Amino acid sequence: MQKQAFRTVLMADDDPEDCLLANEALVETGAVAAFTCVGDGIELMEYLYEHSSSSEKKKPNLILLDLNMPKKDGRKALAEIKSEPALQDIPIVILTTSREPEDLALMLRNGAESFFTKPASFDGWISMMKSLAEKWLG
Amino acid sequence: MSYSGIPEPDYKSLFEQAPGLYMILDHNLRIVAASDAYLRATLTRREEIIGRYVFDVFPEYPDDDADADEVVPKSMASFKKVLKTGLADSMDIQRHDVRRPESEGGGFEVRYWSPVNSPILNPDGSTAYIFHRVENVTDYVMLKQKGLEQEKVTDKLLGQAFKMEADLYSRSREAAEISLELKQANQELKKHRSHLEKLVRERTAGLKAVNEQLLREIEERKHAEEEAHARREWLRVTLASIGDAVIATDSDGLVTFITPAATELTGRKSGEAIGRPIQQVFRIIDEKTRKPAENIIERVISEGIVINLAANTVLIAHGGREIPIEDSAAPIRDSSGNLIGVVLVFHDVTEKRRAQETLRQREEEFRALVENAPDVISLFDRNLRRIYVNSEIRENTGQNSSFMIGKSLTEAGYPDSFTKPLNAALQSVFATGSEETVELDYEAPKGRIWLQIRCAPLRTADGSVERVMSIGRDITDRKKMEEELRKSHEELEIRVRERTAELSATVERLELMNKELQDFAFVASHDLQEPLRKIQTFSDMTMKNCAHSLGEKGKEYLGRVVKSAERMRQLLHDLLQFSRIASRPDVFKIIDLGSIVRVAVDYYEPSILETGAKIEIEDIPAIEGDEIQMLQLFQNLIGNALRYRSEEAPLIKIYSEYHTPGTCEVLVADNGIGFAQEYSDLIFKPFQRLHGRGQYEGTGMGLAICRKIVERHGGMIRVESQPGKGSTFVISLPLKHSNVETGIAKAGF
C-alpha cells in the first residue's frame, strides 16, 4: 500500500461510544488518517483556533459534527466556523440522530457539506466512513 | 208653448176623417195618404191606392178641348210645378173618371174635380210631399153641361114650335111659358154656376189657409212634444235616481205624482195612488203613541211652509207593513206664488235605526269593557285634568273614581314620582300626537307599585288631539319577578364565569400535560434510540469480531439481544412518528391524493412484484392536507393490505365516494385475511395487534398513526372487515380547511 499523505479527522461528539465506533470504522477502511475527538462545541473551537494559528499544527481535513452537544451545540459551532475566514474552508459533515428535515436543511444552508444519520450497525459505520474517506481524505 | 190639459189629437184619424178631399203624394207621386172623403168621392179603397203611382190609380185623359201639342197631362204638370217651385198650384177643373166597382157594374163614372196642390216642405226647402186637395165639382159641371144641353133642346123646341106654330098654337103659350121658365131656369143656372164657382174659389182659399195652419201647428206641436218629452224624461230619471221616495199632491191633497221608491214604500202602485187622497196612500202614525201622526200635508197647505216630520214616524204601507221613516213636506207654488200642491219627500230609516241601535249597543259594550278592564283607564284634557277614569282606580288608590274627576294628578294627591313622568308623557302626546309609554314606580297606600302607563291620543274629527287616554297597568309583580330573575341571572353568570375559568384552567393544564406527554414521548423515543443503537452496534461488533470466543450458546443469546434491540428500535421509531404527528406545524395545502397514493404504491414495488399483487387506483380527488402525513397514511394502509394478505394474490382497490357535501371518502379495500368486526375499534389503538409476532411483523402502531393523521385532518377512519373476506378502510376527509390560504396552496403546484 502506497504511503498516503497524513490526514486528520476531527469528530465533535459528546458520545464516546460514537467516537470509538467512528475511529474503529475509519481504521477498518484502511485510510491513513489521524482521528481526534472533542466532547463539546467549546472544545471544538479551542482545538480549531489552536491548530489554525500554529505553523507546526495542522487544521483537520474533515470535521464530523454532532448537533446535540453540551455547552455549545453543533448548530452554533457550524455557524461560527463558517463565519471564521481561517476555518471556513474546512469541510464539515453532520452526523446526527435527528431526522428533522428543517434542521438538516438549515445545516446545509449554513455551509455543511453533507449529513449522515448515525448508523445502527458497525457495517454501516464502516461504509459511511469509507465514503467519507474517499471523498475528503483521498 | 203648452198643450197641457189638451189631449193629443190623433192626427191620422183627424186627417182621414176630415170632410175635405185630401190626398198626400210623395215626391215620386206615390199616394201616401188619402182622406175618407177622397176615397168615397173617388170610389176607391185606401188599401187599394196607398203606395201606388197616382196616375196608375187615376189615369189622366187629355181634355176633349186640349191642345194637340199638349203632351204632359195637366195634373202631372201641376205636380211637377209644385215639386219644382215649392209653391202651391191651383188647377183648372179636371175630369177624372173614376172606376166603378165591379159590384156596381164596372166601367167608369164621370167626375170633375177642382184640385189645389200644395207642397209640404223638408227642412231644407225641398218638397217632401204634395198635399193634393180637390173639390168634387161633378154635380156643378154636370149641371152646367145640362144647362147647355137644355138650351139646345129649347132651341129645337122653338124651331118645332115655329114649324108647328099653327098646329100647336094652342100649346104655344104653354111653350112660351115653358121657354120662359127655361130661360129663367137657365139664368138661374148661370147664377148658380157663378155662385158655385165663387164658392169653390172661397173654399179653395179657405182650405189652403187651413192647410198652412195645420202644417204650422203640426210643426209646433212636434217641437213642443219633443221638449215636453225631454223635460218629463229628465224629471222622471231625476226623481227615480233620488233614493228618497217622492209623492206630489195637488192643493186638495190628491196624489198627482209618485216615484217608484214611494210606490215601493207605500205598497201602492202608481196607478192606484194617483188621484187618491194623500192620507190613504201615505198613512203615518207615531211610533210610540200608535196614534195617527199629524197631517203634515194639511199643515203645509194651510201654512205654506216646509215641515219636517217628527221623529218616530212610522209609515203603514198598504198591506199593513210598518216602516220607520223620516220625511219632510214642502209646498209647490206656481209662477205667481200660488200654492198648487205639496211635495212629500221621505225615506226608510230602518237601516239607520238598526245602525243607531247597533252603535248604542257597541257603545255599551265598550263602556262595560272599559269599566271592567283590569287596567286603570283615564281620559285627560289639554290641561292635564282627569275627565274620566274607570272604577279600577279604586284598586290602586283606595279612592272613588268620582273623587279624581276634574282634578290634575297633583290635586288628586299623587306623589311627584308619579305625576312628573306621567304629565310629561301626556304633554308629549298632546304635542306630537304619537303614543307614549312610561313605566314608573311610586309609594301607593298599599305599598310600592310599578305601573306601565300607555298614553294614546284621541283625535277629533278634524284630527286634532283634544283628549289623551291613559291605560295604566300594575306591573309590580312582573317587576319583582324581573328583579328576581335579574338577580338569579347575575348569580348564574357569576357561576358560569367561575366555572368557565375553572374549565379553561383545566383545559390549559390538560393541554400542558398533553404537550409534556408528547414532548416526553418524543424525547424518550429519540433519546432511547441512542443507547439502543449502541447495543445494536456493539452486539453486531461482538458477533463479528468475537464470535470465536462466544461459543454456540453465547452466539444464540447475542442473536436474541440483536433481534430484541431491532424490535425495540422499530417500536421507538413508530412511537416517535406517532408523537410527531400532532407536534408538526400545520402545513396544509392542496394536494392530489391520487398521485400521493401512487407514490405510496411505488414504495412497495418489490413487495408487489414478489406477491403478484394487483392494485387498482380509481379517481381520487385533490384535498387540502399535509402531504407527508397523507403519504404516511396510505403507505401504512397499503403496507397492511400487503402484509395481511390471504393465500390469494393481493387485490387492493383504492377509490373514492362522496356522500356529504365538502367531504370525500377514500376507500382502501383488500382481499386479505380480514378480522372480526368486533376488533374494528381496538386496532386503531397504539401497540394493539391482533396477531402474534411470529405470524406477522409490526409494532401495532401503524393504524394508530393512521387514525391520528386522519383526525388531525378533521376526518374519520373506520374499517369494515370479515375474517377471510378482506378489509375495507374508509377514510372520510374534508376537502377544504379554513386555515389554508388558497393563494399559497396554488403556488405549491
Side-chain angles (χ1 to χ4, degrees):
Chain A
M1 195 180 281
Q2 200 178 348
K3 183 164 173 152
Q4 289 182 334
F6 186 78
R7 297 280 188 266
T8 307
V9 175
L10 177 63
M11 181 162 176
D13 198 327
D14 60 327
D15 189 332
E17 280 78 29
D18 279 339
C19 286
L20 174 64
L21 286 167
N23 196 359
E24 296 255 327
L26 183 62
V27 171
E28 284 290 318
T29 63
V32 181
F35 186 91
T36 310
C37 198
V38 291
D40 60 55
I42 305 270
E43 267 185 60
L44 169 65
M45 294 318 294
E46 280 172 5
Y47 178 95
L48 287 177
Y49 286 129
E50 191 192 330
H51 284 73
S52 62
S53 58
S54 161
S55 54
E56 289 164 36
K57 291 173 182 172
K58 212 164 137 302
K59 285 189 287 186
N61 298 90
L62 175 67
I63 300 174
L64 300 177
L65 183 65
D66 181 30
L67 288 180
N68 299 311
M69 289 185 294
K71 294 180 187 168
K72 183 182 277 183
D73 72 8
R75 298 165 185 82
K76 282 183 186 155
L78 173 69
E80 202 174 323
I81 295 165
K82 286 301 166 188
S83 60
E84 175 56 55
L87 303 175
Q88 62 191 194
D89 59 333
I90 308 171
I92 300 175
V93 169
I94 310 289
L95 287 188
T96 181
T97 55
S98 165
R99 283 183 184 273
E100 297 283 353
E102 291 85 356
D103 239 11
L104 298 172
L106 181 73
M107 298 302 107
L108 295 178
R109 267 206 304 283
N110 285 353
E113 299 297 337
S114 179
F115 62 85
F116 283 86
T117 304
K118 288 176 182 169
S121 70
F122 190 55
D123 283 347
W125 278 103
I126 295 169
S127 61
M128 181 184 87
M129 289 312 284
K130 202 169 187 174
S131 64
L132 286 175
E134 277 168 10
K135 184 153 173 68
W136 305 110
L137 307 176
Chain B
M1 210 179 305
S2 170
Y3 288 89
S4 56
I6 304 173
E8 184 88 39
D10 179 350
Y11 291 109
K12 188 164 183 279
S13 59
L14 252 185
F15 172 79
E16 287 175 350
Q17 289 169 34
L21 283 68
Y22 312 127
M23 178 171 68
I24 312 287
L25 303 177
D26 67 8
H27 63 282
N28 288 321
L29 304 184
R30 275 193 302 263
I31 299 166
V32 296
S35 64
D36 293 350
Y38 192 93
L39 297 170
R40 275 195 304 277
T42 57
L43 300 179
T44 51
R45 285 205 293 271
R46 188 169 282 115
E47 61 271 24
E48 290 169 351
I49 64 166
I50 297 296
R52 293 178 62 195
Y53 184 54
V54 65
F55 293 114
D56 287 347
V57 180
F58 305 111
E60 196 165 44
Y61 305 100
D63 278 359
D64 293 343
D65 55 352
D67 294 341
D69 54 5
E70 189 182 44
V71 180
V72 185
K74 282 178 182 165
S75 297
M76 176 68 93
S78 177
F79 289 150
K80 290 204 165 160
K81 191 174 166 195
V82 172
L83 286 173
K84 192 177 168 193
T85 61
L87 296 171
D89 183 54
S90 296
M91 290 170 65
D92 292 343
I93 290 173
Q94 303 285 311
R95 175 180 166 177
H96 270 289
D97 291 353
V98 295
R99 216 174 280 274
R100 187 181 295 123
E102 291 302 315
S103 56
E104 293 170 27
F108 287 89
E109 200 161 285
V110 176
R111 285 281 190 278
Y112 288 95
W113 310 94
S114 168
V116 176
N117 295 318
S118 308
I120 298 173
L121 301 179
N122 282 322
D124 64 359
S126 65
T127 303
Y129 299 101
I130 294 167
F131 193 95
H132 178 70
R133 177 168 44 80
V134 289
E135 198 72 11
N136 185 351
V137 292
T138 310
D139 288 345
Y140 159 70
V141 174
M142 290 294 224
L143 268 175
K144 190 178 163 190
Q145 280 179 353
K146 211 172 183 178
L148 291 170
E149 278 165 17
Q150 203 67 46
E151 275 178 339
K152 285 176 192 166
V153 169
T154 306
D155 289 348
K156 197 175 163 188
L157 281 173
L158 271 175
Q160 278 177 344
F162 287 130
K163 272 186 267 175
M164 297 165 73
E165 202 169 3
D167 298 337
L168 296 171
Y169 181 73
S170 58
R171 291 172 67 183
S172 67
R173 192 178 171 84
E174 194 184 344
E177 280 171 8
I178 288 169
S179 172
L180 186 66
E181 273 174 26
L182 282 170
K183 271 183 182 166
Q184 282 171 345
N186 194 26
Q187 267 177 351
E188 191 77 6
L189 269 171
K190 276 185 178 165
K191 235 169 88 184
H192 202 73
R193 187 183 69 174
S194 77
H195 177 67
L196 269 175
E197 280 178 345
K198 188 175 162 231
L199 265 177
V200 164
R201 273 196 304 278
E202 280 170 7
R203 191 67 195 249
T204 303
L207 279 168
K208 195 173 166 190
V210 166
N211 182 31
E212 279 162 10
Q213 176 68 22
L214 270 173
L215 285 174
R216 264 199 312 278
E217 285 184 2
I218 284 168
E219 192 60 29
E220 281 172 5
R221 182 168 290 211
K222 202 170 135 199
H223 187 68
E225 188 75 2
E226 279 167 5
E227 207 164 271
H229 178 76
R231 187 182 295 221
R232 273 200 306 277
E233 193 57 20
W234 180 83
L235 265 173
R236 190 186 63 73
V237 170
T238 307
L239 285 173
S241 318
I242 298 175
D244 288 349
V246 179
I247 299 177
T249 71
D250 61 13
S251 55
D252 295 326
L254 300 179
V255 174
T256 57
F257 173 85
I258 183 164
T259 60
T263 62
E264 196 170 304
L265 286 180
T266 58
R268 294 279 192 182
K269 286 177 188 149
S270 174
E272 284 175 6
I274 302 287
R276 271 182 194 260
I278 183 71
Q279 292 88 339
Q280 288 181 14
V281 177
F282 186 69
R283 284 174 60 209
I284 48 174
I285 61 164
D286 185 296
E287 191 178 28
K288 286 173 182 161
T289 63
R290 306 294 300 172
K291 285 180 181 159
E294 77 167 321
N295 185 337
I296 60 165
I297 304 294
E298 268 176 18
R299 259 187 77 195
V300 171
I301 291 170
S302 65
E303 295 176 24
I305 51 163
V306 175
I307 293 175
N308 290 314
L309 261 196
N312 310 320
T313 302
V314 171
L315 171 70
I316 314 274
H318 185 59
R321 189 162 73 101
E322 295 190 7
I323 305 160
I325 58 164
E326 276 177 5
D327 74 345
S328 62
I332 308 173
R333 294 177 192 282
D334 64 12
S335 52
S336 38
N338 298 318
L339 195 142
I340 57 165
V342 175
V343 62
L344 187 66
V345 181
F346 57 101
H347 59 265
D348 187 348
V349 293
T350 311
E351 280 306 316
K352 190 174 159 187
R353 292 269 177 88
R354 198 171 293 153
Q356 280 170 342
E357 179 58 21
T358 308
L359 197 67
R360 197 187 54 74
Q361 279 177 5
R362 290 284 298 281
E363 213 171 83
E364 257 172 35
E365 284 164 10
F366 278 122
R367 179 172 289 276
L369 269 180
V370 169
E371 278 299 321
N372 297 309
D375 301 330
V376 175
I377 300 174
S378 312
L379 281 181
F380 290 89
D381 66 9
R382 280 195 159 274
N383 297 320
L384 308 186
R385 279 193 300 253
R386 179 132 60 183
I387 55 172
Y388 169 81
V389 63
N390 67 354
S391 45
E392 182 66 17
I393 191 80
R394 201 182 302 135
E395 291 287 316
N396 274 329
T397 61
Q399 304 272 20
N400 270 339
S401 53
S402 55
F403 174 76
M404 303 281 175
I405 301 303
K407 289 180 180 170
S408 71
L409 296 168
T410 312
E411 287 165 349
Y414 286 99
D416 282 358
S417 57
F418 181 90
T419 57
K420 278 184 179 167
L422 183 52
N423 280 339
L426 290 170
Q427 263 160 353
S428 163
V429 177
F430 275 118
T432 64
S434 312
E435 277 191 20
E436 286 279 339
T437 301
V438 284
E439 278 190 15
L440 51 85
D441 58 293
Y442 73 106
E443 283 302 331
K446 64 172 183 180
R448 185 163 204 77
I449 61 171
W450 276 263
L451 289 177
Q452 185 189 57
I453 305 177
R454 199 159 71 87
C455 302
L458 296 183
R459 293 176 191 281
T460 55
D462 65 0
S464 66
V465 180
E466 292 301 328
R467 300 272 184 272
V468 171
M469 176 173 66
S470 74
I471 303 167
R473 178 164 295 184
D474 188 337
I475 53 168
T476 309
D477 291 346
R478 199 187 84 196
K479 279 285 169 187
K480 281 179 178 166
M481 262 167 65
E482 273 176 9
E483 184 62 22
E484 275 169 29
L485 259 174
R486 197 179 54 73
K487 270 186 195 158
S488 70
H489 184 74
E490 271 171 17
E491 279 166 20
L492 254 175
E493 278 206 332
I494 290 168
R495 274 164 60 187
V496 165
R497 271 201 297 277
E498 283 170 3
R499 188 92 185 102
T500 307
E502 276 171 29
L503 281 171
S504 335
T506 308
V507 167
E508 262 173 42
R509 207 168 55 242
L510 281 172
E511 276 175 354
L512 194 69
M513 276 167 67
N514 192 33
K515 178 87 173 55
E516 278 171 359
L517 264 173
Q518 276 179 5
D519 288 352
F520 173 77
F522 178 77
V523 171
S525 50
H526 184 264
D527 287 2
L528 284 172
Q529 271 186 330
E530 281 305 297
L532 181 63
R533 194 162 48 76
K534 306 293 160 40
I535 293 170
Q536 281 185 297
T537 312
F538 286 106
S539 302
D540 187 30
M541 287 175 75
T542 308
M543 192 69 97
K544 280 193 177 120
N545 300 340
C546 316
H548 54 278
S549 55
L550 276 178
E552 282 311 304
K553 267 240 158 46
K555 274 193 230 172
E556 193 204 322
Y557 295 153
L558 192 58
R560 287 188 187 275
V561 169
V562 171
K563 266 193 181 168
S564 296
E566 171 54 27
R567 177 155 175 74
M568 184 162 179
R569 195 195 61 79
Q570 195 61 48
L571 282 168
L572 285 173
H573 172 266
D574 287 357
L575 186 61
L576 191 61
Q577 271 201 332
F578 183 76
S579 69
R580 270 179 185 167
I581 291 165
S583 61
R584 240 174 95 81
D586 280 357
V587 283
F588 285 9
K589 59 177 186 177
I590 296 176
I591 48 174
D592 178 11
L593 272 190
S595 44
I596 285 176
V597 167
R598 276 178 206 97
V599 171
V601 169
D602 287 347
Y603 181 82
Y604 291 104
E605 204 183 340
S607 173
I608 290 167
L609 286 174
E610 185 197 321
T611 58
K614 198 174 169 206
I615 300 186
E616 294 172 2
I617 303 169
E618 289 179 16
D619 254 7
I620 298 172
I623 64 155
E624 289 173 357
D626 182 324
E627 196 168 9
I628 290 173
Q629 291 185 351
M630 281 295 131
L631 179 61
Q632 197 173 359
L633 168 69
F634 285 104
Q635 272 182 351
N636 286 0
L637 291 175
I638 294 164
N640 276 357
L642 289 168
R643 184 182 300 149
Y644 302 105
R645 62 181 178 269
S646 63
E647 301 293 309
E648 298 169 50
L651 173 62
I652 304 171
K653 290 181 185 171
I654 304 167
Y655 56 101
S656 57
E657 285 180 357
Y658 302 87
H659 299 293
T660 315
T663 303
C664 75
E665 282 188 353
V666 181
L667 296 93
V668 181
D670 63 46
N671 59 345
I673 55 170
F675 55 87
Q677 188 68 28
E678 59 190 286
Y679 299 120
S680 61
D681 285 334
L682 187 71
I683 59 166
F684 290 107
K685 290 186 173 158
F687 300 117
Q688 292 296 331
R689 308 181 79 252
L690 297 181
H691 307 281
R693 285 212 311 278
Q695 276 179 291
Y696 296 97
E697 293 171 13
T699 59
M701 284 305 289
L703 289 176
I705 289 169
C706 287
R707 189 173 73 172
K708 205 158 182 196
I709 288 172
V710 172
E711 282 174 356
R712 180 161 175 263
H713 280 74
M716 287 193 311
I717 184 167
R718 62 191 163 83
V719 62
E720 285 158 14
S721 187
Q722 254 185 296
K725 294 267 173 77
S727 307
T728 300
F729 286 85
V730 183
I731 306 148
S732 30
L733 288 168
L735 294 168
K736 285 175 189 297
H737 293 271
S738 55
N739 58 347
V740 174
E741 286 177 45
T742 352
I744 293 168
K746 272 183 185 159
F749 274 89

Coordinates of all heavy atoms in Angstrom, one line a residue, chain B residues 34-73:
Chain B
A34 N -154.8 59.4 -48.0 CA -156.0 60.0 -48.6 C -157.1 60.0 -47.5 O -157.1 59.2 -46.7 CB -156.4 59.1 -49.8
S35 N -157.9 61.1 -47.6 CA -159.0 61.2 -46.6 C -160.1 60.3 -47.1 O -160.2 59.9 -48.2 CB -159.5 62.6 -46.5 OG -160.0 63.0 -47.8
D36 N -160.9 59.9 -46.0 CA -162.1 59.0 -46.3 C -163.0 59.7 -47.4 O -163.5 59.0 -48.3 CB -162.9 58.8 -45.1 CG -162.1 58.0 -44.1 OD1 -161.0 57.5 -44.4 OD2 -162.6 57.9 -42.9
A37 N -163.1 61.0 -47.3 CA -164.0 61.7 -48.3 C -163.4 61.5 -49.7 O -164.2 61.3 -50.6 CB -164.0 63.2 -47.9
Y38 N -162.1 61.6 -49.8 CA -161.5 61.4 -51.1 C -161.8 60.0 -51.6 O -162.1 59.9 -52.8 CB -160.0 61.6 -50.9 CG -159.2 61.8 -52.2 CD1 -159.0 63.1 -52.8 CD2 -158.8 60.7 -52.9 CE1 -158.4 63.2 -54.0 CE2 -158.2 60.8 -54.1 CZ -157.9 62.1 -54.7 OH -157.3 62.2 -55.9
L39 N -161.6 59.1 -50.7 CA -161.9 57.7 -51.1 C -163.3 57.5 -51.6 O -163.6 56.9 -52.6 CB -161.6 56.7 -50.0 CG -160.1 56.7 -49.5 CD1 -160.0 55.9 -48.2 CD2 -159.2 56.1 -50.5
R40 N -164.2 58.1 -50.8 CA -165.6 58.0 -51.2 C -165.8 58.6 -52.5 O -166.5 58.1 -53.4 CB -166.5 58.6 -50.1 CG -166.8 57.7 -49.0 CD -168.0 58.2 -48.1 NE -167.8 59.6 -47.6 CZ -167.1 59.8 -46.5 NH1 -166.6 58.8 -45.8 NH2 -166.9 61.1 -46.1
A41 N -165.3 59.8 -52.7 CA -165.5 60.6 -53.9 C -164.9 59.9 -55.1 O -165.4 59.9 -56.2 CB -165.0 62.0 -53.8
T42 N -163.8 59.2 -54.9 CA -163.1 58.6 -56.0 C -163.5 57.1 -56.1 O -162.9 56.4 -57.0 CB -161.6 58.7 -55.8 OG1 -161.2 58.1 -54.6 CG2 -161.1 60.1 -55.9
L43 N -164.4 56.7 -55.3 CA -164.9 55.3 -55.3 C -163.7 54.3 -55.1 O -163.6 53.3 -55.8 CB -165.6 55.0 -56.6 CG -166.9 55.8 -56.8 CD1 -167.5 55.4 -58.1 CD2 -167.9 55.6 -55.7
T44 N -162.8 54.7 -54.3 CA -161.6 53.8 -54.1 C -161.6 53.4 -52.7 O -162.2 54.0 -51.8 CB -160.3 54.5 -54.5 OG1 -160.3 55.8 -53.8 CG2 -160.1 54.7 -56.0
R45 N -160.7 52.4 -52.5 CA -160.5 52.0 -51.1 C -159.0 52.3 -50.7 O -158.1 52.1 -51.6 CB -160.8 50.5 -50.9 CG -162.3 50.2 -50.8 CD -162.6 48.9 -50.1 NE -162.1 47.8 -50.7 CZ -162.8 47.1 -51.6 NH1 -164.1 47.5 -51.9 NH2 -162.3 46.0 -52.2
R46 N -158.8 52.6 -49.5 CA -157.5 53.1 -49.1 C -156.4 52.1 -49.4 O -155.4 52.3 -50.0 CB -157.5 53.4 -47.6 CG -156.2 54.1 -47.2 CD -156.3 54.6 -45.8 NE -157.0 55.9 -45.7 CZ -158.2 56.1 -45.1 NH1 -158.8 55.1 -44.5 NH2 -158.8 57.3 -45.1
E47 N -156.7 50.8 -49.0 CA -155.7 49.8 -49.2 C -155.4 49.5 -50.7 O -154.3 49.0 -51.0 CB -156.1 48.5 -48.5 CG -157.4 47.8 -49.0 CD -158.6 48.4 -48.3 OE1 -158.6 49.5 -47.7 OE2 -159.6 47.7 -48.3
E48 N -156.3 49.9 -51.6 CA -156.0 49.7 -53.0 C -155.1 50.8 -53.6 O -154.5 50.6 -54.6 CB -157.4 49.8 -53.8 CG -158.2 48.6 -53.5 CD -159.6 48.8 -54.1 OE1 -159.9 49.9 -54.6 OE2 -160.4 47.8 -54.1
I49 N -155.1 51.9 -52.9 CA -154.3 53.0 -53.6 C -153.0 53.4 -52.9 O -152.1 53.9 -53.5 CB -155.2 54.3 -53.8 CG1 -155.6 54.8 -52.4 CG2 -156.5 54.0 -54.6 CD1 -156.2 56.2 -52.4
I50 N -153.0 53.2 -51.6 CA -151.8 53.7 -50.9 C -150.5 53.0 -51.4 O -150.5 51.8 -51.7 CB -151.9 53.4 -49.4 CG1 -153.1 54.1 -48.7 CG2 -150.6 53.7 -48.6 CD1 -153.0 55.6 -48.7
G51 N -149.5 53.8 -51.7 CA -148.2 53.3 -52.2 C -148.2 53.3 -53.7 O -147.1 53.0 -54.3
R52 N -149.3 53.5 -54.4 CA -149.3 53.3 -55.8 C -149.1 54.7 -56.5 O -149.3 55.7 -56.0 CB -150.6 52.7 -56.3 CG -150.7 51.3 -55.9 CD -152.0 50.7 -56.3 NE -152.2 50.6 -57.7 CZ -153.3 50.4 -58.4 NH1 -154.4 50.2 -57.7 NH2 -153.4 50.4 -59.7
Y53 N -148.5 54.6 -57.7 CA -148.3 55.8 -58.5 C -149.7 56.4 -58.8 O -150.6 55.7 -59.2 CB -147.6 55.4 -59.8 CG -147.2 56.6 -60.7 CD1 -146.4 57.7 -60.2 CD2 -147.5 56.6 -62.0 CE1 -146.0 58.7 -61.0 CE2 -147.2 57.6 -62.9 CZ -146.4 58.7 -62.4 OH -146.0 59.7 -63.2
V54 N -149.8 57.7 -58.6 CA -151.1 58.4 -58.6 C -151.8 58.2 -60.0 O -153.0 57.9 -60.1 CB -151.0 59.8 -58.3 CG1 -150.2 60.6 -59.3 CG2 -152.3 60.5 -58.1
F55 N -151.0 58.2 -61.1 CA -151.6 58.1 -62.4 C -152.0 56.7 -62.8 O -152.7 56.4 -63.7 CB -150.7 58.8 -63.5 CG -150.6 60.2 -63.3 CD1 -149.4 60.8 -62.9 CD2 -151.8 61.0 -63.3 CE1 -149.4 62.2 -62.7 CE2 -151.7 62.4 -63.1 CZ -150.5 63.0 -62.8
D56 N -151.4 55.7 -62.0 CA -151.9 54.4 -62.2 C -153.3 54.2 -61.6 O -154.1 53.5 -62.1 CB -150.9 53.4 -61.5 CG -149.6 53.2 -62.2 OD1 -149.6 53.7 -63.4 OD2 -148.7 52.7 -61.6
V57 N -153.5 54.9 -60.5 CA -154.8 54.8 -59.9 C -155.8 55.7 -60.6 O -157.0 55.3 -60.9 CB -154.7 55.2 -58.4 CG1 -156.0 55.1 -57.7 CG2 -153.7 54.4 -57.7
F58 N -155.4 56.9 -60.9 CA -156.3 57.9 -61.5 C -155.7 58.2 -62.9 O -155.0 59.2 -63.0 CB -156.4 59.1 -60.7 CG -156.9 58.8 -59.3 CD1 -156.1 59.0 -58.2 CD2 -158.2 58.3 -59.0 CE1 -156.5 58.7 -56.9 CE2 -158.6 58.0 -57.7 CZ -157.8 58.2 -56.7
P59 N -155.9 57.4 -63.9 CA -155.4 57.7 -65.2 C -155.9 59.1 -65.7 O -157.0 59.4 -65.4 CB -155.9 56.6 -66.1 CG -156.4 55.6 -65.2 CD -156.8 56.2 -63.9
E60 N -155.0 59.8 -66.3 CA -155.4 61.1 -66.8 C -155.7 61.1 -68.3 O -154.9 60.7 -69.1 CB -154.3 62.1 -66.4 CG -154.8 63.5 -66.5 CD -153.7 64.4 -65.8 OE1 -152.5 64.2 -66.1 OE2 -154.1 65.3 -65.0
Y61 N -156.9 61.6 -68.6 CA -157.3 61.7 -70.0 C -157.2 63.1 -70.5 O -157.6 64.0 -69.8 CB -158.7 61.2 -70.2 CG -158.9 59.8 -69.6 CD1 -159.4 59.6 -68.4 CD2 -158.4 58.7 -70.4 CE1 -159.6 58.4 -67.9 CE2 -158.5 57.5 -69.8 CZ -159.1 57.3 -68.6 OH -159.3 56.1 -68.0
P62 N -156.5 63.3 -71.6 CA -156.4 64.6 -72.2 C -157.9 65.2 -72.4 O -158.8 64.4 -72.8 CB -155.7 64.5 -73.5 CG -155.0 63.1 -73.4 CD -155.8 62.3 -72.5
D63 N -158.0 66.4 -72.1 CA -159.4 67.0 -72.3 C -159.8 67.0 -73.8 O -158.9 67.0 -74.6 CB -159.3 68.5 -71.8 CG -159.5 68.5 -70.3 OD1 -159.6 67.4 -69.7 OD2 -159.5 69.6 -69.7
D64 N -161.0 67.0 -73.9 CA -161.5 67.0 -75.3 C -161.0 68.2 -76.1 O -160.6 68.1 -77.2 CB -163.1 67.0 -75.3 CG -163.6 65.7 -74.7 OD1 -162.8 64.7 -74.7 OD2 -164.8 65.7 -74.3
D65 N -160.9 69.3 -75.3 CA -160.5 70.5 -75.9 C -159.0 70.8 -75.7 O -158.6 71.9 -75.9 CB -161.3 71.7 -75.4 CG -161.2 71.8 -73.9 OD1 -160.7 70.8 -73.2 OD2 -161.7 72.8 -73.3
A66 N -158.3 69.8 -75.3 CA -156.8 70.0 -75.0 C -156.1 70.3 -76.3 O -156.5 69.8 -77.4 CB -156.2 68.8 -74.4
D67 N -155.1 71.1 -76.2 CA -154.3 71.4 -77.4 C -153.7 70.1 -77.9 O -153.3 69.2 -77.1 CB -153.2 72.4 -77.1 CG -153.8 73.8 -76.7 OD1 -154.9 74.0 -77.0 OD2 -153.1 74.5 -75.9
A68 N -153.5 70.1 -79.2 CA -153.0 68.9 -79.8 C -151.5 68.6 -79.3 O -151.1 67.5 -79.1 CB -153.0 69.0 -81.3
D69 N -150.8 69.7 -79.1 CA -149.4 69.5 -78.7 C -149.1 69.4 -77.2 O -148.0 69.4 -76.7 CB -148.5 70.6 -79.4 CG -148.9 72.0 -79.0 OD1 -149.9 72.1 -78.2 OD2 -148.3 72.9 -79.4
E70 N -150.2 69.4 -76.5 CA -150.1 69.3 -75.1 C -149.8 67.9 -74.7 O -150.6 67.0 -74.8 CB -151.3 69.8 -74.3 CG -151.1 69.8 -72.8 CD -152.4 70.2 -72.1 OE1 -153.5 69.7 -72.5 OE2 -152.3 71.1 -71.3
V71 N -148.5 67.7 -74.4 CA -148.1 66.3 -74.1 C -148.3 65.9 -72.6 O -148.8 64.8 -72.3 CB -146.6 66.1 -74.4 CG1 -146.1 64.7 -74.2 CG2 -146.3 66.5 -75.9
V72 N -147.9 66.8 -71.8 CA -148.0 66.5 -70.4 C -149.4 66.7 -69.9 O -149.9 67.8 -70.1 CB -147.0 67.4 -69.6 CG1 -147.0 67.0 -68.1 CG2 -145.6 67.3 -70.2
P73 N -149.9 65.7 -69.2 CA -151.3 66.0 -68.7 C -151.2 67.1 -67.6 O -150.2 67.3 -67.0 CB -151.6 64.6 -68.0 CG -150.7 63.6 -68.6 CD -149.5 64.4 -69.0

